Structures are given as structure tokens and as C-alpha cells.
Amino acid sequence: MNVLYDAILKMTWLSDGIAWILTQFGLQMDQPLVISLHYFIYDTIKIFILLSVLIYTISYIQSYFPPERTRKILGRFNGFFARLLAALLGTITPFCSCSSIPLFIGFTKAGLNVGVTFSFLISSPLVDLASVFLLMSVFNPKVAIAYVSVGLLLAVIGGTLISWLKMERYVEPFVLKGGVTELDEEKMTHKDRHNFSKDQVMDIVRKVWIYILVGVLIGALIHDWIPASWIQAVLGEDKWYSVPLAVLVGVPMYADIFGTLPIAEALVSQGVGLGTVLAFMMAVTTLSLPSIILLKKVVKKELLILFVVYCTIGIMIIGYVFNAIQGILI
Amino acid sequence: MIVKILGIGCSNCLRLEENTRTALKSLGIEAEIVKVKDMNEISQYGIMRMPGLVVDEKVVSYGKVLNVQEVMALFNKPGQIRL
């Protein structure tokens, strides 16, 4: 098991291979600049390989669960179970950030409870399947499972809260107007699914490559060039304010989970608490200025504020909990 | 004929628009291409995935960036779109 884990998710062979190539060029693997170069090349290639394989596989699964089908499935259930199901389906339903609003409208028009829709909207960017495998690669399976569990919990509780407070009052009226256009579900062959998955890989790589390069670069800087004592002075495990700081910095940022992971890894290696780092990642992926601005078009400010405040506080609590139980996870 | 591209302006919608223009040109079809960016208006078409392609008020594709050949095939398919 461990051999497979090292080879496939950690890609130790890639690390060794790059080290070997660098030494062939006469570079010494004990010089700081060479170590950084090695880290940069290795991490970039590793993330791109993982990203492509994962997105392809996941898109293939996702092609069986388009939002139209998800909406139909969710329409059959009510209450807590519907919200749990929404959070789970959120992890496999394909959707890019610019589709979140049409999706919100489509779900709401079909008569789904706003709480159910929000459970879906929170879980969808936060816990997608790709992030699970990347967390396994960068940290370990225990961290990945813990991340998924609290992510789903955050989504379900958020939906429940919104439902309890009867927040449907604060949805813009135009969203509720008019009926649902039932479009024929397309019949997909295996070739269609293959093409869809291939397109998804290219689409996502085109969108996130710059975030990955910048992320790995910052990761390399943190890893080897910024003194650990500086980082610990601001974000160290013993600093109570490290979690809120990480969240407040992360909320307005818009980046992809693939770009934030190398930074997360580097920070943890420099003694920043796991919870602080995960809170930062969650804040970046769940909340961002562009998504908040989009959401503002379909809900009134009461619901928008509740959503942002709830996610911010929830993520902070998750951060503190993970910092407290870090010993068991890593 | 009025062809509408539904989408809030992300790169996918721009690519679909380009491909549609190219396809229509090579088919020699005269059509007015309208970009619909307003969420309220988009939501009337009932689609949940961007970008959407609407021909004479009928949704013919959604959630996919069709390439030039696919757009051309759409316009050539009998029954799908009457020219």
C-alpha cells in the first residue's frame, strides 16, 4: 500500500528523476537555489499530472450527474436528508464558478428549498472530488477524510440554518418568476463522455495553470527562503489570531484549490498549524469577491450577509478544531 | 434569424460566440447575433449551464462550448432548426 501511495500520489520517482537530471547538469543538490529549482519543477509537474488524471476521471463520473439530473433527484426529498444529499451531490456535479448563479435560479425555480440549494452551493466549490485526492497527495488520507467530513458538515448546517430562518424571503423576486423549462436530457455515448472529460481537462488547465505556477512559486519561497521564525511569528500554532487572519486574507481572494495547495504544504512544513492552513484554503475556495458579487444579483443583502458571515465563522471554527487535533492527523 | 449567446461573459461564452460566427459565415447564413448577459433574461430560458445557444427563441445547446463543426452540424440538422 505504502509503495503504491508513494509512487502514485507522492510521485517519489518524479522527485528522484528530476534530482538525477539536475545533477547531470552539474548542479549540486545541497545548494539552496538548486533545492528550490528542484521543488519548483517537481511540484509543478506533479500537480499538472494529478490535475489532468483527476479531472478526467472525475469529469467522467460527473457526466452522469448533470445539474438537471441533480435537480430532479433533489426534488424528491425534503428537509435534512435533502440538504445532506445536496451537499453530497455538490461534490460530483460539474459546474464552473460562472454557472453558480444560473444553477441557483434553476434550482429555486424548480421549487427546491433555498436551504437545499445553499447546501449544494457551499459544498460544490469546497469539497470537490479532485481536492480530496490532492489532499491525500500533499498531506495524507486522514487529513483528506477529515477535510471532506467537515466540509460536508459546514454545507449541511449552513443549509439548515438558512432554511430555519426562512431566508427564502430574501431571494430576488425575478428568480421565483416563471416556470422551469424542461430541456431534453442529452443521451451521451461513451465517446461523448470521453470528449466531455477531455474538454474539461483542457478547460481547467487553461484556467488554472497560472494559479498553479504562482502557487508553487510562493510555496518554494516559503519553503526555502523566508525564515520559518518570521512565518511562525505571524501564523504560528501558538498564535490565537492565526486562524482569523488566514480566513480574512483568504475570503476576498480568488484562486483555485490547485493553486493554494502548494502554499498550504509549504506553510505546514514551516510550522504553521494544519487548521490555519486548511481554513485559508477553505476561505479562498468557498468565498471570493467575484462569487459574492454574482450572488448579490439573485439574493438580497440579508441572505448574502448571512451566507458570508456563516461561512467565515464556520471556517474559523474548523481551523481551530483542526489545529487542536493536528497531532492525531499528521 | 436571431441567434443568441447566453452567458455572463466568461471565456467560454466568448469562445462559443466566435465559433458560432465562424460557422454561420462559412454556411453563408445571415443571422443577427445577440449576446445576452443579463441574468434575469438568461434565467427565462431555463438553462443551468453556461454558455447557452438560442436560435429563434429555442435553446439548441447549453453547458458546452461547441466547436465550429458542431455549430455547423446543428444548423444542418433537419428538424432541429428550420432555415
Side-chain angles (χ1 to χ4, degrees), chain A residues 167-197:
Chain A
M167 295 309 275
E168 51 272 17
R169 299 172 269 172
Y170 299 116
V171 172
E172 290 292 346
F174 84 82
V175 174
L176 299 162
K177 250 190 346 213
V180 181
T181 323
E182 277 295 344
L183 302 164
D184 318 333
E185 215 173 289
E186 327 151 72
K187 298 260 182 301
M188 287 179 96
T189 61
H190 284 292
K191 194 163 170 285
D192 290 337
R193 294 185 201 282
H194 163 73
N195 284 337
F196 167 76
S197 311

PDB file of all heavy atoms in Angstrom, chain A residues 167-197:
ATOM      1  N   MET A 167     -35.098  32.016   4.988  1.00  0.00           N
ATOM      2  CA  MET A 167     -34.409  33.024   4.196  1.00  0.00           C
ATOM      3  C   MET A 167     -34.954  33.138   2.779  1.00  0.00           C
ATOM      4  O   MET A 167     -34.532  34.011   2.026  1.00  0.00           O
ATOM      5  CB  MET A 167     -32.901  32.745   4.141  1.00  0.00           C
ATOM      6  CG  MET A 167     -32.182  32.851   5.455  1.00  0.00           C
ATOM      7  SD  MET A 167     -32.494  34.382   6.333  1.00  0.00           S
ATOM      8  CE  MET A 167     -31.295  35.466   5.584  1.00  0.00           C
ATOM      9  N   GLU A 168     -35.903  32.284   2.401  1.00  0.00           N
ATOM     10  CA  GLU A 168     -36.432  32.387   1.030  1.00  0.00           C
ATOM     11  C   GLU A 168     -37.086  33.742   0.780  1.00  0.00           C
ATOM     12  O   GLU A 168     -37.234  34.166  -0.359  1.00  0.00           O
ATOM     13  CB  GLU A 168     -37.381  31.227   0.686  1.00  0.00           C
ATOM     14  CG  GLU A 168     -38.501  30.944   1.646  1.00  0.00           C
ATOM     15  CD  GLU A 168     -38.083  29.974   2.756  1.00  0.00           C
ATOM     16  OE1 GLU A 168     -36.876  29.774   2.961  1.00  0.00           O
ATOM     17  OE2 GLU A 168     -38.975  29.434   3.434  1.00  0.00           O
ATOM     18  N   ARG A 169     -37.445  34.443   1.891  1.00  0.00           N
ATOM     19  CA  ARG A 169     -37.971  35.805   1.733  1.00  0.00           C
ATOM     20  C   ARG A 169     -36.982  36.725   1.037  1.00  0.00           C
ATOM     21  O   ARG A 169     -37.351  37.738   0.476  1.00  0.00           O
ATOM     22  CB  ARG A 169     -38.190  36.458   3.104  1.00  0.00           C
ATOM     23  CG  ARG A 169     -39.136  35.801   4.002  1.00  0.00           C
ATOM     24  CD  ARG A 169     -39.087  36.452   5.363  1.00  0.00           C
ATOM     25  NE  ARG A 169     -38.110  35.800   6.232  1.00  0.00           N
ATOM     26  CZ  ARG A 169     -37.761  36.260   7.412  1.00  0.00           C
ATOM     27  NH1 ARG A 169     -38.263  37.380   7.843  1.00  0.00           N
ATOM     28  NH2 ARG A 169     -36.891  35.604   8.138  1.00  0.00           N
ATOM     29  N   TYR A 170     -35.704  36.417   1.199  1.00  0.00           N
ATOM     30  CA  TYR A 170     -34.681  37.341   0.717  1.00  0.00           C
ATOM     31  C   TYR A 170     -34.101  36.952  -0.636  1.00  0.00           C
ATOM     32  O   TYR A 170     -33.007  37.345  -0.986  1.00  0.00           O
ATOM     33  CB  TYR A 170     -33.571  37.474   1.763  1.00  0.00           C
ATOM     34  CG  TYR A 170     -34.086  38.018   3.063  1.00  0.00           C
ATOM     35  CD1 TYR A 170     -34.056  37.257   4.229  1.00  0.00           C
ATOM     36  CD2 TYR A 170     -34.634  39.301   3.118  1.00  0.00           C
ATOM     37  CE1 TYR A 170     -34.549  37.754   5.416  1.00  0.00           C
ATOM     38  CE2 TYR A 170     -35.134  39.807   4.301  1.00  0.00           C
ATOM     39  CZ  TYR A 170     -35.087  39.030   5.456  1.00  0.00           C
ATOM     40  OH  TYR A 170     -35.587  39.534   6.618  1.00  0.00           O
ATOM     41  N   VAL A 171     -34.844  36.156  -1.366  1.00  0.00           N
ATOM     42  CA  VAL A 171     -34.424  35.846  -2.727  1.00  0.00           C
ATOM     43  C   VAL A 171     -35.073  36.862  -3.654  1.00  0.00           C
ATOM     44  O   VAL A 171     -36.236  37.218  -3.470  1.00  0.00           O
ATOM     45  CB  VAL A 171     -34.863  34.412  -3.103  1.00  0.00           C
ATOM     46  CG1 VAL A 171     -34.607  34.130  -4.572  1.00  0.00           C
ATOM     47  CG2 VAL A 171     -34.142  33.393  -2.239  1.00  0.00           C
ATOM     48  N   GLU A 172     -34.327  37.372  -4.612  1.00  0.00           N
ATOM     49  CA  GLU A 172     -34.882  38.361  -5.546  1.00  0.00           C
ATOM     50  C   GLU A 172     -36.106  37.771  -6.265  1.00  0.00           C
ATOM     51  O   GLU A 172     -36.069  36.638  -6.737  1.00  0.00           O
ATOM     52  CB  GLU A 172     -33.832  38.770  -6.586  1.00  0.00           C
ATOM     53  CG  GLU A 172     -32.677  39.609  -6.049  1.00  0.00           C
ATOM     54  CD  GLU A 172     -33.086  41.010  -5.600  1.00  0.00           C
ATOM     55  OE1 GLU A 172     -34.209  41.438  -5.939  1.00  0.00           O
ATOM     56  OE2 GLU A 172     -32.285  41.657  -4.907  1.00  0.00           O
ATOM     57  N   PRO A 173     -37.188  38.563  -6.334  1.00  0.00           N
ATOM     58  CA  PRO A 173     -38.444  38.033  -6.882  1.00  0.00           C
ATOM     59  C   PRO A 173     -38.319  37.445  -8.294  1.00  0.00           C
ATOM     60  O   PRO A 173     -38.970  36.454  -8.602  1.00  0.00           O
ATOM     61  CB  PRO A 173     -39.377  39.245  -6.896  1.00  0.00           C
ATOM     62  CG  PRO A 173     -38.701  40.314  -6.137  1.00  0.00           C
ATOM     63  CD  PRO A 173     -37.297  39.933  -5.858  1.00  0.00           C
ATOM     64  N   PHE A 174     -37.455  38.021  -9.127  1.00  0.00           N
ATOM     65  CA  PHE A 174     -37.406  37.531 -10.516  1.00  0.00           C
ATOM     66  C   PHE A 174     -36.963  36.069 -10.592  1.00  0.00           C
ATOM     67  O   PHE A 174     -37.288  35.363 -11.535  1.00  0.00           O
ATOM     68  CB  PHE A 174     -36.531  38.432 -11.395  1.00  0.00           C
ATOM     69  CG  PHE A 174     -35.059  38.146 -11.359  1.00  0.00           C
ATOM     70  CD1 PHE A 174     -34.524  37.129 -12.143  1.00  0.00           C
ATOM     71  CD2 PHE A 174     -34.206  38.883 -10.545  1.00  0.00           C
ATOM     72  CE1 PHE A 174     -33.162  36.869 -12.125  1.00  0.00           C
ATOM     73  CE2 PHE A 174     -32.844  38.624 -10.520  1.00  0.00           C
ATOM     74  CZ  PHE A 174     -32.327  37.614 -11.308  1.00  0.00           C
ATOM     75  N   VAL A 175     -36.225  35.641  -9.550  1.00  0.00           N
ATOM     76  CA  VAL A 175     -35.749  34.261  -9.532  1.00  0.00           C
ATOM     77  C   VAL A 175     -36.922  33.280  -9.446  1.00  0.00           C
ATOM     78  O   VAL A 175     -36.889  32.183 -10.001  1.00  0.00           O
ATOM     79  CB  VAL A 175     -34.786  34.042  -8.343  1.00  0.00           C
ATOM     80  CG1 VAL A 175     -34.381  32.588  -8.219  1.00  0.00           C
ATOM     81  CG2 VAL A 175     -33.562  34.924  -8.490  1.00  0.00           C
ATOM     82  N   LEU A 176     -37.972  33.711  -8.726  1.00  0.00           N
ATOM     83  CA  LEU A 176     -39.105  32.812  -8.499  1.00  0.00           C
ATOM     84  C   LEU A 176     -40.122  32.864  -9.630  1.00  0.00           C
ATOM     85  O   LEU A 176     -40.964  31.992  -9.779  1.00  0.00           O
ATOM     86  CB  LEU A 176     -39.787  33.173  -7.176  1.00  0.00           C
ATOM     87  CG  LEU A 176     -38.880  33.031  -5.956  1.00  0.00           C
ATOM     88  CD1 LEU A 176     -39.430  33.794  -4.766  1.00  0.00           C
ATOM     89  CD2 LEU A 176     -38.671  31.565  -5.609  1.00  0.00           C
ATOM     90  N   LYS A 177     -40.027  33.942 -10.438  1.00  0.00           N
ATOM     91  CA  LYS A 177     -40.997  34.128 -11.515  1.00  0.00           C
ATOM     92  C   LYS A 177     -40.811  33.092 -12.628  1.00  0.00           C
ATOM     93  O   LYS A 177     -39.701  32.654 -12.898  1.00  0.00           O
ATOM     94  CB  LYS A 177     -40.829  35.527 -12.112  1.00  0.00           C
ATOM     95  CG  LYS A 177     -41.988  36.445 -11.798  1.00  0.00           C
ATOM     96  CD  LYS A 177     -41.945  37.742 -12.565  1.00  0.00           C
ATOM     97  CE  LYS A 177     -40.657  38.075 -13.258  1.00  0.00           C
ATOM     98  NZ  LYS A 177     -40.339  39.489 -13.316  1.00  0.00           N
ATOM     99  N   GLY A 178     -41.895  32.763 -13.269  1.00  0.00           N
ATOM    100  CA  GLY A 178     -41.797  31.898 -14.442  1.00  0.00           C
ATOM    101  C   GLY A 178     -41.560  30.449 -14.069  1.00  0.00           C
ATOM    102  O   GLY A 178     -41.183  30.129 -12.953  1.00  0.00           O
ATOM    103  N   GLY A 179     -41.799  29.588 -15.013  1.00  0.00           N
ATOM    104  CA  GLY A 179     -41.672  28.163 -14.732  1.00  0.00           C
ATOM    105  C   GLY A 179     -40.310  27.635 -15.109  1.00  0.00           C
ATOM    106  O   GLY A 179     -39.403  28.375 -15.445  1.00  0.00           O
ATOM    107  N   VAL A 180     -40.203  26.319 -15.040  1.00  0.00           N
ATOM    108  CA  VAL A 180     -38.959  25.662 -15.419  1.00  0.00           C
ATOM    109  C   VAL A 180     -39.091  25.163 -16.850  1.00  0.00           C
ATOM    110  O   VAL A 180     -40.103  24.594 -17.213  1.00  0.00           O
ATOM    111  CB  VAL A 180     -38.703  24.452 -14.499  1.00  0.00           C
ATOM    112  CG1 VAL A 180     -37.407  23.764 -14.867  1.00  0.00           C
ATOM    113  CG2 VAL A 180     -38.706  24.903 -13.059  1.00  0.00           C
ATOM    114  N   THR A 181     -38.096  25.430 -17.637  1.00  0.00           N
ATOM    115  CA  THR A 181     -38.084  24.855 -18.975  1.00  0.00           C
ATOM    116  C   THR A 181     -37.429  23.486 -18.865  1.00  0.00           C
ATOM    117  O   THR A 181     -36.268  23.396 -18.504  1.00  0.00           O
ATOM    118  CB  THR A 181     -37.248  25.728 -19.938  1.00  0.00           C
ATOM    119  OG1 THR A 181     -37.470  27.092 -19.602  1.00  0.00           O
ATOM    120  CG2 THR A 181     -37.626  25.465 -21.372  1.00  0.00           C
ATOM    121  N   GLU A 182     -38.190  22.458 -19.111  1.00  0.00           N
ATOM    122  CA  GLU A 182     -37.580  21.128 -19.074  1.00  0.00           C
ATOM    123  C   GLU A 182     -36.932  20.859 -20.421  1.00  0.00           C
ATOM    124  O   GLU A 182     -37.594  20.717 -21.429  1.00  0.00           O
ATOM    125  CB  GLU A 182     -38.632  20.046 -18.771  1.00  0.00           C
ATOM    126  CG  GLU A 182     -38.949  19.853 -17.302  1.00  0.00           C
ATOM    127  CD  GLU A 182     -37.780  19.325 -16.466  1.00  0.00           C
ATOM    128  OE1 GLU A 182     -36.790  18.818 -17.049  1.00  0.00           O
ATOM    129  OE2 GLU A 182     -37.861  19.422 -15.230  1.00  0.00           O
ATOM    130  N   LEU A 183     -35.630  20.849 -20.411  1.00  0.00           N
ATOM    131  CA  LEU A 183     -34.928  20.560 -21.655  1.00  0.00           C
ATOM    132  C   LEU A 183     -34.656  19.067 -21.705  1.00  0.00           C
ATOM    133  O   LEU A 183     -34.466  18.436 -20.686  1.00  0.00           O
ATOM    134  CB  LEU A 183     -33.615  21.341 -21.711  1.00  0.00           C
ATOM    135  CG  LEU A 183     -33.778  22.859 -21.585  1.00  0.00           C
ATOM    136  CD1 LEU A 183     -32.466  23.526 -21.270  1.00  0.00           C
ATOM    137  CD2 LEU A 183     -34.368  23.434 -22.856  1.00  0.00           C
ATOM    138  N   ASP A 184     -34.673  18.538 -22.903  1.00  0.00           N
ATOM    139  CA  ASP A 184     -34.412  17.096 -23.013  1.00  0.00           C
ATOM    140  C   ASP A 184     -33.020  16.809 -22.485  1.00  0.00           C
ATOM    141  O   ASP A 184     -32.071  17.523 -22.777  1.00  0.00           O
ATOM    142  CB  ASP A 184     -34.446  16.622 -24.482  1.00  0.00           C
ATOM    143  CG  ASP A 184     -35.589  17.246 -25.233  1.00  0.00           C
ATOM    144  OD1 ASP A 184     -36.589  17.587 -24.566  1.00  0.00           O
ATOM    145  OD2 ASP A 184     -35.485  17.409 -26.470  1.00  0.00           O
ATOM    146  N   GLU A 185     -32.934  15.735 -21.714  1.00  0.00           N
ATOM    147  CA  GLU A 185     -31.618  15.330 -21.245  1.00  0.00           C
ATOM    148  C   GLU A 185     -30.894  14.704 -22.423  1.00  0.00           C
ATOM    149  O   GLU A 185     -31.450  13.866 -23.130  1.00  0.00           O
ATOM    150  CB  GLU A 185     -31.778  14.309 -20.119  1.00  0.00           C
ATOM    151  CG  GLU A 185     -30.705  14.441 -19.067  1.00  0.00           C
ATOM    152  CD  GLU A 185     -30.981  13.551 -17.886  1.00  0.00           C
ATOM    153  OE1 GLU A 185     -31.933  13.855 -17.129  1.00  0.00           O
ATOM    154  OE2 GLU A 185     -30.277  12.552 -17.737  1.00  0.00           O
ATOM    155  N   GLU A 186     -29.647  15.144 -22.619  1.00  0.00           N
ATOM    156  CA  GLU A 186     -28.941  14.601 -23.778  1.00  0.00           C
ATOM    157  C   GLU A 186     -28.543  13.156 -23.496  1.00  0.00           C
ATOM    158  O   GLU A 186     -28.173  12.811 -22.398  1.00  0.00           O
ATOM    159  CB  GLU A 186     -27.664  15.386 -24.070  1.00  0.00           C
ATOM    160  CG  GLU A 186     -27.737  16.850 -23.748  1.00  0.00           C
ATOM    161  CD  GLU A 186     -26.369  17.393 -23.389  1.00  0.00           C
ATOM    162  OE1 GLU A 186     -25.563  17.509 -24.302  1.00  0.00           O
ATOM    163  OE2 GLU A 186     -26.126  17.692 -22.218  1.00  0.00           O
ATOM    164  N   LYS A 187     -28.639  12.350 -24.515  1.00  0.00           N
ATOM    165  CA  LYS A 187     -28.133  10.980 -24.410  1.00  0.00           C
ATOM    166  C   LYS A 187     -26.647  11.028 -24.726  1.00  0.00           C
ATOM    167  O   LYS A 187     -26.255  11.525 -25.771  1.00  0.00           O
ATOM    168  CB  LYS A 187     -28.838  10.079 -25.431  1.00  0.00           C
ATOM    169  CG  LYS A 187     -30.335   9.980 -25.210  1.00  0.00           C
ATOM    170  CD  LYS A 187     -30.684   8.679 -24.474  1.00  0.00           C
ATOM    171  CE  LYS A 187     -32.186   8.544 -24.278  1.00  0.00           C
ATOM    172  NZ  LYS A 187     -32.779   9.666 -23.504  1.00  0.00           N
ATOM    173  N   MET A 188     -25.820  10.521 -23.806  1.00  0.00           N
ATOM    174  CA  MET A 188     -24.386  10.567 -24.054  1.00  0.00           C
ATOM    175  C   MET A 188     -23.836   9.171 -24.289  1.00  0.00           C
ATOM    176  O   MET A 188     -24.158   8.242 -23.559  1.00  0.00           O
ATOM    177  CB  MET A 188     -23.663  11.198 -22.866  1.00  0.00           C
ATOM    178  CG  MET A 188     -23.856  12.689 -22.735  1.00  0.00           C
ATOM    179  SD  MET A 188     -23.000  13.315 -21.286  1.00  0.00           S
ATOM    180  CE  MET A 188     -21.455  13.889 -21.989  1.00  0.00           C
ATOM    181  N   THR A 189     -23.022   9.052 -25.316  1.00  0.00           N
ATOM    182  CA  THR A 189     -22.334   7.783 -25.535  1.00  0.00           C
ATOM    183  C   THR A 189     -21.009   7.843 -24.769  1.00  0.00           C
ATOM    184  O   THR A 189     -20.641   8.891 -24.234  1.00  0.00           O
ATOM    185  CB  THR A 189     -22.021   7.579 -27.026  1.00  0.00           C
ATOM    186  OG1 THR A 189     -21.161   8.648 -27.434  1.00  0.00           O
ATOM    187  CG2 THR A 189     -23.293   7.605 -27.860  1.00  0.00           C
ATOM    188  N   HIS A 190     -20.306   6.703 -24.735  1.00  0.00           N
ATOM    189  CA  HIS A 190     -19.015   6.715 -24.043  1.00  0.00           C
ATOM    190  C   HIS A 190     -18.045   7.670 -24.706  1.00  0.00           C
ATOM    191  O   HIS A 190     -17.232   8.299 -24.046  1.00  0.00           O
ATOM    192  CB  HIS A 190     -18.423   5.298 -23.981  1.00  0.00           C
ATOM    193  CG  HIS A 190     -19.118   4.455 -22.948  1.00  0.00           C
ATOM    194  ND1 HIS A 190     -18.996   4.721 -21.603  1.00  0.00           N
ATOM    195  CD2 HIS A 190     -19.959   3.413 -23.063  1.00  0.00           C
ATOM    196  CE1 HIS A 190     -19.739   3.862 -20.933  1.00  0.00           C
ATOM    197  NE2 HIS A 190     -20.340   3.061 -21.795  1.00  0.00           N
ATOM    198  N   LYS A 191     -18.184   7.802 -26.023  1.00  0.00           N
ATOM    199  CA  LYS A 191     -17.307   8.716 -26.741  1.00  0.00           C
ATOM    200  C   LYS A 191     -17.623  10.160 -26.327  1.00  0.00           C
ATOM    201  O   LYS A 191     -16.711  10.956 -26.127  1.00  0.00           O
ATOM    202  CB  LYS A 191     -17.484   8.526 -28.252  1.00  0.00           C
ATOM    203  CG  LYS A 191     -16.394   9.167 -29.050  1.00  0.00           C
ATOM    204  CD  LYS A 191     -16.348   8.622 -30.470  1.00  0.00           C
ATOM    205  CE  LYS A 191     -15.410   9.459 -31.319  1.00  0.00           C
ATOM    206  NZ  LYS A 191     -15.989  10.760 -31.691  1.00  0.00           N
ATOM    207  N   ASP A 192     -18.907  10.475 -26.180  1.00  0.00           N
ATOM    208  CA  ASP A 192     -19.295  11.811 -25.730  1.00  0.00           C
ATOM    209  C   ASP A 192     -18.709  12.105 -24.358  1.00  0.00           C
ATOM    210  O   ASP A 192     -18.227  13.202 -24.087  1.00  0.00           O
ATOM    211  CB  ASP A 192     -20.828  11.917 -25.628  1.00  0.00           C
ATOM    212  CG  ASP A 192     -21.479  11.901 -27.002  1.00  0.00           C
ATOM    213  OD1 ASP A 192     -20.785  12.254 -27.968  1.00  0.00           O
ATOM    214  OD2 ASP A 192     -22.661  11.528 -27.090  1.00  0.00           O
ATOM    215  N   ARG A 193     -18.799  11.094 -23.470  1.00  0.00           N
ATOM    216  CA  ARG A 193     -18.281  11.290 -22.110  1.00  0.00           C
ATOM    217  C   ARG A 193     -16.778  11.484 -22.125  1.00  0.00           C
ATOM    218  O   ARG A 193     -16.225  12.289 -21.381  1.00  0.00           O
ATOM    219  CB  ARG A 193     -18.642  10.088 -21.226  1.00  0.00           C
ATOM    220  CG  ARG A 193     -20.132   9.974 -21.001  1.00  0.00           C
ATOM    221  CD  ARG A 193     -20.487   8.857 -20.032  1.00  0.00           C
ATOM    222  NE  ARG A 193     -21.871   8.458 -20.224  1.00  0.00           N
ATOM    223  CZ  ARG A 193     -22.914   9.149 -19.749  1.00  0.00           C
ATOM    224  NH1 ARG A 193     -22.710  10.216 -19.021  1.00  0.00           N
ATOM    225  NH2 ARG A 193     -24.139   8.746 -19.994  1.00  0.00           N
ATOM    226  N   HIS A 194     -16.118  10.723 -23.005  1.00  0.00           N
ATOM    227  CA  HIS A 194     -14.668  10.881 -23.144  1.00  0.00           C
ATOM    228  C   HIS A 194     -14.339  12.294 -23.623  1.00  0.00           C
ATOM    229  O   HIS A 194     -13.472  12.962 -23.059  1.00  0.00           O
ATOM    230  CB  HIS A 194     -14.107   9.836 -24.115  1.00  0.00           C
ATOM    231  CG  HIS A 194     -12.735  10.164 -24.633  1.00  0.00           C
ATOM    232  ND1 HIS A 194     -11.614  10.058 -23.845  1.00  0.00           N
ATOM    233  CD2 HIS A 194     -12.320  10.634 -25.827  1.00  0.00           C
ATOM    234  CE1 HIS A 194     -10.560  10.434 -24.552  1.00  0.00           C
ATOM    235  NE2 HIS A 194     -10.956  10.791 -25.754  1.00  0.00           N
ATOM    236  N   ASN A 195     -15.070  12.754 -24.643  1.00  0.00           N
ATOM    237  CA  ASN A 195     -14.831  14.101 -25.160  1.00  0.00           C
ATOM    238  C   ASN A 195     -15.113  15.170 -24.117  1.00  0.00           C
ATOM    239  O   ASN A 195     -14.368  16.128 -23.976  1.00  0.00           O
ATOM    240  CB  ASN A 195     -15.704  14.354 -26.398  1.00  0.00           C
ATOM    241  CG  ASN A 195     -15.144  13.643 -27.611  1.00  0.00           C
ATOM    242  OD1 ASN A 195     -13.948  13.341 -27.657  1.00  0.00           O
ATOM    243  ND2 ASN A 195     -16.008  13.342 -28.563  1.00  0.00           N
ATOM    244  N   PHE A 196     -16.210  14.972 -23.390  1.00  0.00           N
ATOM    245  CA  PHE A 196     -16.565  15.915 -22.327  1.00  0.00           C
ATOM    246  C   PHE A 196     -15.438  15.992 -21.301  1.00  0.00           C
ATOM    247  O   PHE A 196     -15.003  17.079 -20.911  1.00  0.00           O
ATOM    248  CB  PHE A 196     -17.875  15.461 -21.666  1.00  0.00           C
ATOM    249  CG  PHE A 196     -18.192  16.167 -20.374  1.00  0.00           C
ATOM    250  CD1 PHE A 196     -18.670  17.474 -20.374  1.00  0.00           C
ATOM    251  CD2 PHE A 196     -18.018  15.529 -19.150  1.00  0.00           C
ATOM    252  CE1 PHE A 196     -18.959  18.123 -19.182  1.00  0.00           C
ATOM    253  CE2 PHE A 196     -18.307  16.173 -17.950  1.00  0.00           C
ATOM    254  CZ  PHE A 196     -18.776  17.477 -17.973  1.00  0.00           C
ATOM    255  N   SER A 197     -14.927  14.812 -20.897  1.00  0.00           N
ATOM    256  CA  SER A 197     -13.880  14.767 -19.872  1.00  0.00           C
ATOM    257  C   SER A 197     -12.603  15.419 -20.384  1.00  0.00           C
ATOM    258  O   SER A 197     -11.930  16.152 -19.657  1.00  0.00           O
ATOM    259  CB  SER A 197     -13.590  13.326 -19.459  1.00  0.00           C
ATOM    260  OG  SER A 197     -14.792  12.663 -19.175  1.00  0.00           O
TER     261      SER A 197
END
